[in-house]
Amino acid sequence: MSRPLRRQRKALATRARIFVVVPLGLLVGVLFRAQVLRSSDWLLQSEENRLRSLVVPAPRGIIRDRAGRVLADNIPGYSISLVPDQPDSMLSTLGRLREHLELPDARLEELTRQIQGRPPRPILVSVDAPFDAVAALEERRSGFPRLLIQSRPKRRYPARELGAHVIGYVGEINEAELESGDFDGAEPGWIVGRSGVEATYESMLQGRPGTRYVEVDARGRIVGSFGGVGGVAEDPGTDIDLNLDLELMEWIHNIFPEGMNGSVVALDVETGGVLALYSAPSFDPNVFAGVVSTEEWNRLATDSESPLYHRAVMGKYPPGSAWKLATAAIALELGVVAPGDRMQIPCRGTFAYGNRIARCWDADGHGSLDLAGAIQHSCNVYFYQLGLRIGLERLLELGNRMGFGDQCGIDLPREVGGTFPEDVGFWQRRYNYEALEGEVLSLAIGQGPNDQTPLKMAQFLVAIARDGSAPAPTLYSEAPAREGWRLNIPPEHLAYIREGIHRVTRPGGTAHLSSLEHFDLLGKTGTAESGGGRPNHAWFIGIAGPRGGAAEIVVVALVEFGGSGSGVAAPLVAKTADYYLRGVHGIPRDTIQTLREYLMAGRNTAWATLRPAG
Amino acid sequence: MKARPTWLDEGGFTATVLVLSLVGVAMIYSAGVLEVPSRITEGLWLRQGFFLGAGIVGLLLVSRFPSRMFEWAAMPAYVLAVGVLAVTLVVGSGAGTAEGVKSFLSIGGFRFQPAEAAKIATVLALAVLLARRDDPPRYLRDLLTPAALVAVPLVLVLLQPDLGTALAFVGIFFAMIFWARTPWPLIIFAASPGVALILAYSARVWSVYIVLLAIGLYLYRYRLYLVESVSVILANVAAGAVAQPLWNSLADYQRNRLLVFLDPGLDPRDAGWQLIQSKVAVGSGGLLGKGFTAGTQKRLAFIPEQHTDFIFSVLGEEFGFIGTLLLLALFGFLFLRMIRMAEAARTPFAGMFIFGILGIWFTHVFINVGMTVGVVPITGIPLPFISYGGSFLLMSWLAAATVVAVANADP
């Protein structure tokens, strides 16, 4: 090789080395910048890449009855939702979802409407997806890029129909609720109480959702949990124990006349605690645990028997004769009558007032009665005169003080108050005529503009059963005691009213056949006109307790179109009270409870023949 | 024949190739360690190891062949390679993410890329062609035949379309005319239409460039024929004119790759995604890396094509700056070693051939590493000795064997 050629090569080689080293050096420089100088930024980004925060729903508090029996708890479930995207692509995903998940046409239509709504929101396809569907979708995850499958506890109501009205149900929070601010810190997708105790104690039951970090792969699939930074443990909701007695509810359900509608309320006399709050017909709240289809909702909402309607606290019925006890209590408080007093005009079946004739239900008349006798016989003529002695204005004043125009204040949402004229101006406002003093005649016997809920009547009776005070009925066992109102009647006068209603179940009383072997039952029947030619609504309001002892339970039964209070409602009250009290006092329970049942079963009824003393 | 095997005589060239290949097998093993089910099976590193074994055997054999045999075989090999490339365009098939690309041939269940062999054949042919000259090229027309020789396989590869491999042919051409002592103004004029093609994105920039080029040609006027000067200008104008239609004829993914190179945020889900995730992987590796097989970007399948084109990202994530520095140092050492071998070669053919191979490998390394850190646009081009790919590894080892064989040849 020639010398110049070698020199030339050497120069070329040197240049070539520069050409190689400089670009490689450039790469090293870029790498140094990325991996050393800016590494922390990239590291942060890689953490953001792989870690996702997930909301962990807090398990909702469990609701139990007074004996610890579960009324509402949680079971594992899966929710399936769609992350917002172009409506077209969401609709197509929804279409493909149907291959794996059962979606009725009505539900699909509803979701389609939601998807087309503005602004785009995450769409909750199912809060209760079957495990098979979830497994199938998980396998095909790549085909459903914007599908979010989350485990989420699902509400379960083991008491089914029995607890439906009291415990209520839950549902996904809606936009109006989100904006209302009633739900502190709520996010879309939250499950909140919609009715019953679930709604009243929403803030206690809800708890606080936590966050958890999970490691995800490039497609957003969760690969594993991440124990490192952050994460907030969820705060489970508070459990709630109710005064309610599930066994008693079940018993009432068994004895309630088949196919009839109505309500039974049982209150603890000492505390005002709600032992039973039964409303027939009912529904299974478990259907609300998932997404309720419009179809299902409509079926329940338009059912002619109104199963969603909580008759015990929302149903208003004319109280009829049962309200005569209120008239008596008002008269005694005002002192317009003394227990032994008889009215000027004995009952001959009719009562003339002004130019009108008011009738007693017994056309033969009751003759001259004292208050207890008038209560026992439910004598209209006596109560007409008592009403006139009280006067319309004072009757309205005290009736309102006793809360007949208000709610009881039970810890349930949407309790309705009674209908009762606030003052004499009521007639002018409602019927456009000046109230006549004669209005008091109707009111005194529980007729006229007076509609009460079964619960209201029960609360009133609690006041009669104890010292005249009526605490607000409560479902939650730890709810603070709230004084409702009180009657200013001396204890002996209350005892006198009780004596009057005790005679109702004694020999000669209309409900004697409903008397009990082991317990005293005091009660008053009521018959409320239902109109439309159908049978009357049947009332029976009762107090029960050990023989000669203090009253322990108040039971009110209302059977719509039941006809006779003594025939239909009284046995219901007697059997409910007996069932409860036998449990409390350790007497073996039996299905043969009332005198009628003893007679039909051919049992010894010696206990029932005792005539009242005096 | 000498007493000592020739492959021990080149001061660490083969050893470096072996170390790089072993690093490759290790990184392919790591790329298979995933948290998620993937079509990347764990056994790929074994396949790569098998091809490495074949490469070593091939090197032991081929490195003993006499240099004359390569010179003799160069032209037939070139013709054969071009023929096979043409056939591939008709019956070829794609692979992996590039299903629509006709770059693979399968024969009896064995798939290989004819372009890999064509690169070596082209280097052989061009080395023979350039080595025949005693004088360096003096005029542009002296570069016409070499350019045509490279252009034929280049165009065939571009038609597949495989831009990355086509760029390797460009690397071959310039590396070899450089070593053929071509004056640098000629190299610049030869490269100028390519530059014009790129600069054509802005009419103003392109106009300034053409004026500068014309000035350059005027200053160099005594060394060029007039027709050559005019041709250069015309070629540049033509390049500028076809830029827009050419751009339009590109596939969407190719256009996106170029656009996201300029702005990765433009398309953060698809084309930009690869670039961003690759940068995140490399950057998050830090100084020391996350540890062998422990890269989270890789484990969770954030890195695209992590066993082939983006294997450097895996290495960067798991071994950090130390790892990438060492790897580039190894490549740097390999390239400097080859320059030294070319310098010391006793036949012009040997130096030419070594520079041709250097051109291939350097292009691959610069573009591959450059794209993972966002310095060059994403082009599907593997990292020699490291990326998974049987035929590519084998061909690289055969190229290395030929380098060893010709480097020691007597005139």
Side-chain angles (χ1 to χ4, degrees):
Chain A
M1 210 182 301
S2 66
R3 190 169 286 272
L5 185 66
R6 185 162 300 185
R7 251 207 335 270
Q8 223 172 347
R9 267 197 186 183
K10 206 174 164 118
L12 274 179
T14 306
R15 230 184 286 166
R17 287 187 185 103
I18 294 167
F19 280 142
V20 163
V21 169
V22 168
L24 288 183
L26 171 79
L27 289 178
V28 169
V30 170
L31 287 165
F32 181 78
R33 195 173 89 104
Q35 297 191 285
V36 180
L37 301 182
R38 290 193 53 206
S39 172
S40 51
D41 294 355
W42 293 119
L43 193 62
L44 188 71
Q45 208 169 329
S46 90
E47 299 287 275
E48 280 173 9
N49 251 350
R50 71 186 182 108
L51 298 179
R52 294 269 187 289
S53 76
L54 269 192
V55 175
V56 184
R60 213 173 155 77
I62 292 166
I63 304 175
R64 297 189 185 85
D65 84 341
R66 62 191 297 114
R69 287 175 286 248
V70 173
L71 298 171
D73 63 359
N74 309 300
I75 52 172
Y78 294 91
S79 72
I80 293 179
S81 32
L82 280 177
V83 177
D85 196 5
Q86 293 298 319
D88 285 351
S89 90
M90 288 176 83
L91 288 175
S92 110
T93 306
L94 206 56
R96 284 183 292 124
L97 264 182
R98 286 188 96 180
E99 291 166 27
H100 308 289
L101 189 69
E102 201 184 323
L103 277 179
D105 288 342
R107 175 79 188 139
L108 192 72
E109 269 173 41
E110 198 176 304
L111 290 172
T112 305
R113 258 200 313 282
Q114 284 183 31
I115 286 170
Q116 285 159 347
R118 297 260 146 210
R121 282 191 52 209
I123 301 296
L124 196 64
V125 179
S126 169
V127 291
D128 178 25
F131 184 76
D132 288 352
V134 170
L137 287 170
E138 281 287 0
E139 266 174 36
R140 297 162 180 80
R141 205 58 195 271
S142 55
F144 297 97
R146 284 173 177 261
L147 200 67
L148 196 65
I149 299 178
Q150 281 179 302
S151 106
R152 129 143 96 184
K154 180 183 138 188
R155 205 60 163 163
R156 183 178 66 145
Y157 301 104
R160 302 169 68 85
E161 285 86 353
L162 286 177
H165 294 110
V166 176
I167 295 137
Y169 51 86
V170 292
E172 195 197 2
I173 194 164
N174 62 34
E175 260 163 279
E177 286 166 330
L178 273 172
E179 282 160 21
S180 71
D182 293 345
F183 299 88
D184 184 34
E187 308 263 349
W190 268 31
I191 297 297
V192 296
R194 270 291 150 67
S195 77
V197 170
E198 293 271 32
T200 310
Y201 294 106
E202 163 64 23
S203 57
M204 284 174 71
L205 291 166
Q206 178 70 56
R208 278 281 165 265
T211 47
R212 190 161 57 94
Y213 284 94
V214 292
E215 198 172 45
V216 296
D217 74 358
R219 287 178 185 163
R221 285 182 295 207
I222 295 163
V223 170
S225 62
F226 177 69
V229 293
V232 180
E234 66 272 23
D235 184 10
T238 311
D239 293 353
I240 281 183
D241 291 333
L242 301 183
N243 291 318
L244 205 72
D245 186 332
L246 183 61
E247 267 186 5
L248 186 62
M249 293 286 282
E250 205 168 350
W251 178 246
I252 294 170
H253 182 66
N254 289 336
I255 60 173
F256 199 87
E258 182 90 32
M260 300 196 98
N261 299 344
S263 172
V264 176
V265 178
L267 299 181
D268 183 325
V269 169
E270 196 189 323
T271 62
V274 177
L275 299 171
L277 204 57
Y278 179 80
S279 179
S282 187
F283 61 97
D284 186 351
N286 288 300
V287 305
F288 294 95
V291 169
V292 197
S293 68
T294 317
E295 214 174 318
E296 179 70 10
W297 174 258
N298 286 344
R299 193 183 65 71
L300 285 170
T302 60
D303 189 323
S304 60
E305 306 293 325
S306 314
L308 291 176
Y309 186 54
H310 191 186
R311 289 167 164 78
V313 300
M314 296 163 84
K316 295 205 287 187
Y317 308 88
S321 304
W323 210 78
K324 285 171 182 160
L325 296 188
T327 310
I330 291 168
L332 287 168
E333 175 162 343
L334 292 171
V336 297
V337 70
D341 284 358
R342 286 162 195 273
M343 289 294 141
Q344 278 174 322
I345 303 162
C347 178
R348 298 275 174 258
T350 54
F351 179 72
Y353 179 76
N355 56 0
R356 87 181 234 226
I357 303 287
R359 298 183 182 281
C360 189
W361 62 273
D362 189 348
D364 294 340
H366 295 104
S368 179
L369 294 168
D370 63 0
L371 181 57
I375 292 172
Q376 180 196 346
H377 296 291
S378 197
C379 176
N380 287 0
V381 171
Y382 183 95
F383 280 97
Y384 291 146
Q385 296 173 77
L386 199 57
L388 288 169
R389 281 198 193 179
I390 296 166
L392 182 58
E393 206 159 326
R394 288 197 293 180
L395 186 80
L396 296 183
E397 187 194 327
L398 266 78
N400 277 305
R401 210 192 71 207
M402 285 154 68
F404 282 109
D406 286 329
Q407 302 151 329
C408 299
I410 189 176
D411 43 357
L412 278 181
R414 293 188 284 279
E415 185 205 354
V416 301
T419 303
F420 195 74
E422 311 84 66
D423 51 49
V424 289
F426 172 85
W427 282 264
Q428 186 67 54
R429 289 192 297 274
R430 174 70 64 88
Y431 303 113
N432 212 17
Y433 69 85
E434 201 69 30
L436 306 168
E437 188 56 25
E439 311 293 350
V440 82
L441 267 56
S442 302
L443 286 175
I445 62 162
Q447 293 179 0
N450 182 0
D451 289 320
Q452 301 301 331
T453 63
L455 183 68
K456 184 81 235 177
M457 293 306 289
Q459 186 198 24
F460 163 71
L461 203 57
V462 166
I464 301 293
R466 43 196 271 166
D467 56 357
S469 62
T474 51
L475 280 160
Y476 179 36
S477 62
E478 284 164 46
R482 276 170 303 157
E483 180 79 348
W485 43 268
R486 66 179 298 125
L487 293 162
N488 298 312
I489 308 178
E492 61 272 23
H493 287 187
L494 284 171
Y496 190 76
I497 296 179
R498 289 200 291 269
E499 171 57 26
I501 54 175
H502 201 168
R503 289 189 197 165
V504 172
T505 59
R506 286 206 178 123
T510 50
H512 178 55
L513 284 173
S514 292
S515 59
L516 302 168
E517 178 181 1
H518 303 285
F519 308 103
D520 278 341
L521 176 69
L522 300 61
K524 181 79 196 75
T525 55
T527 303
E529 285 170 28
S530 62
R534 299 186 63 180
N536 293 333
H537 299 314
W539 282 98
F540 193 82
I541 63 176
I543 302 171
R547 285 226 185 281
E552 290 181 357
I553 185 173
V554 157
V555 184
V556 165
L558 179 278
V559 181
E560 289 179 5
F561 314 112
S564 142
S566 54
V568 175
L572 209 46
V573 169
K575 289 173 75 65
T576 302
D578 183 69
Y579 185 88
Y580 174 75
L581 291 170
R582 279 184 191 235
V584 170
H585 295 282
I587 300 169
R589 281 167 173 161
D590 197 344
T591 54
I592 309 297
Q593 294 168 297
T594 61
L595 178 57
R596 172 195 289 274
E597 286 164 345
Y598 271 68
L599 290 169
M600 287 174 72
R603 290 204 189 167
N604 179 9
T605 55
W607 51 269
T609 56
L610 293 168
R611 287 253 150 204
Chain B
M1 191 157 283
K2 297 178 182 178
R4 271 157 60 86
T6 49
W7 55 270
L8 279 178
D9 268 348
E10 24 60 7
F13 170 78
T14 312
T16 310
V17 166
L18 183 64
V19 170
L20 283 170
S21 302
L22 290 174
V23 168
V25 172
M27 291 324 297
I28 290 162
Y29 170 78
S30 174
V33 181
L34 292 175
E35 294 282 329
V36 286
S38 164
R39 62 193 166 81
I40 303 165
T41 52
E42 285 169 10
L44 280 189
W45 66 278
L46 276 171
R47 263 179 75 93
Q48 184 82 349
F50 169 77
F51 278 101
L52 174 56
I56 291 169
V57 172
L59 178 117
L60 291 175
L61 287 173
V62 173
S63 64
R64 287 160 191 269
F65 290 174
S67 178
R68 296 221 174 270
M69 210 178 100
F70 296 105
E71 293 180 50
W72 173 80
M75 280 307 165
Y78 175 80
V79 172
L80 181 68
V82 168
V84 172
L85 272 183
V87 170
T88 308
L89 272 185
V90 182
V91 300
S93 61
T97 52
E99 279 303 339
V101 174
K102 295 191 169 175
S103 56
F104 279 87
L105 264 192
S106 1
I107 296 170
F110 179 70
R111 290 159 55 84
F112 70 101
Q113 275 186 288
E116 300 302 340
K119 282 189 279 196
I120 297 173
T122 306
V123 170
L124 281 171
L126 197 57
V128 167
L129 187 75
L130 290 173
R132 273 193 205 137
R133 302 183 61 97
D134 289 331
D135 306 324
R138 289 179 59 194
Y139 302 103
L140 275 172
R141 65 162 187 205
D142 295 334
L143 295 177
L144 273 182
T145 321
L149 198 72
V150 173
V152 173
L154 187 152
V155 168
L156 288 173
V157 167
L158 211 48
L159 285 175
Q160 289 181 350
D162 183 350
L163 183 62
T165 307
L167 285 174
F169 282 97
V170 176
I172 290 171
F173 178 71
F174 284 103
M176 293 179 78
I177 64 167
F178 169 82
W179 192 245
R181 294 169 291 152
T182 308
W184 61 266
L186 279 192
I187 295 179
I188 289 173
F189 292 141
S192 65
V195 178
L197 194 66
I198 296 165
L199 293 184
Y201 73 90
S202 159
R204 189 176 300 169
V205 172
W206 182 81
S207 311
V208 171
Y209 165 77
I210 288 293
V211 171
L212 289 175
L213 188 70
I215 293 170
L217 286 166
Y218 176 75
L219 293 175
Y220 202 68
R221 65 191 180 279
Y222 302 117
R223 310 254 194 103
L224 284 177
Y225 291 110
L226 182 62
V227 65
E228 287 181 339
S229 300
V230 171
S231 300
V232 167
I233 289 290
L234 284 178
N236 276 275
V237 171
V242 301
Q244 188 63 37
L246 197 65
W247 172 256
N248 291 338
S249 72
L250 284 180
D252 279 348
Y253 81 91
Q254 290 172 319
R255 251 182 279 173
N256 276 346
R257 281 174 171 183
L258 291 170
L259 286 175
V260 298
F261 166 65
L262 297 171
D263 179 11
L266 202 66
D267 186 9
R269 289 235 63 90
D270 296 320
W273 166 263
Q274 299 186 322
L275 182 52
I276 292 168
Q277 294 307 335
S278 166
K279 283 165 98 172
V280 168
V282 172
S284 66
L287 185 65
L288 299 172
K290 296 175 184 173
F292 184 55
T293 73
T296 59
Q297 287 281 107
K298 176 218 70 183
R299 268 196 308 122
L300 301 167
F302 282 97
I303 305 179
E305 298 297 317
Q306 51 196 347
H307 59 309
T308 55
D309 292 353
F310 282 90
I311 193 129
F312 184 81
S313 310
V314 178
L315 183 122
E317 184 180 26
E318 298 189 346
F319 293 105
F321 180 65
I322 298 298
T324 56
L325 184 67
L326 281 176
L327 188 77
L328 289 181
L330 276 174
F331 276 117
F333 176 78
L334 184 73
F335 299 154
L336 294 181
R337 197 61 239 161
M338 289 169 81
I339 293 169
R340 179 91 200 105
M341 287 160 86
E343 200 183 2
R346 275 164 290 184
T347 64
F349 171 76
M352 282 300 161
F353 181 80
I354 292 170
F355 256 79
I357 299 300
L358 176 62
I360 299 174
W361 289 350
F362 180 80
T363 310
H364 273 255
V365 170
F366 186 79
I367 292 180
N368 182 279
V369 175
M371 76 180 179
T372 59
V373 292
V375 176
V376 293
I378 293 177
T379 0
I381 189 167
L383 193 58
F385 306 110
I386 311 288
S387 288
Y388 174 76
S391 64
F392 181 55
L393 183 68
L394 193 57
M395 284 303 158
S396 298
W397 271 81
L398 292 181
T402 313
V403 165
V404 171
V406 300
N408 291 294
D410 294 318

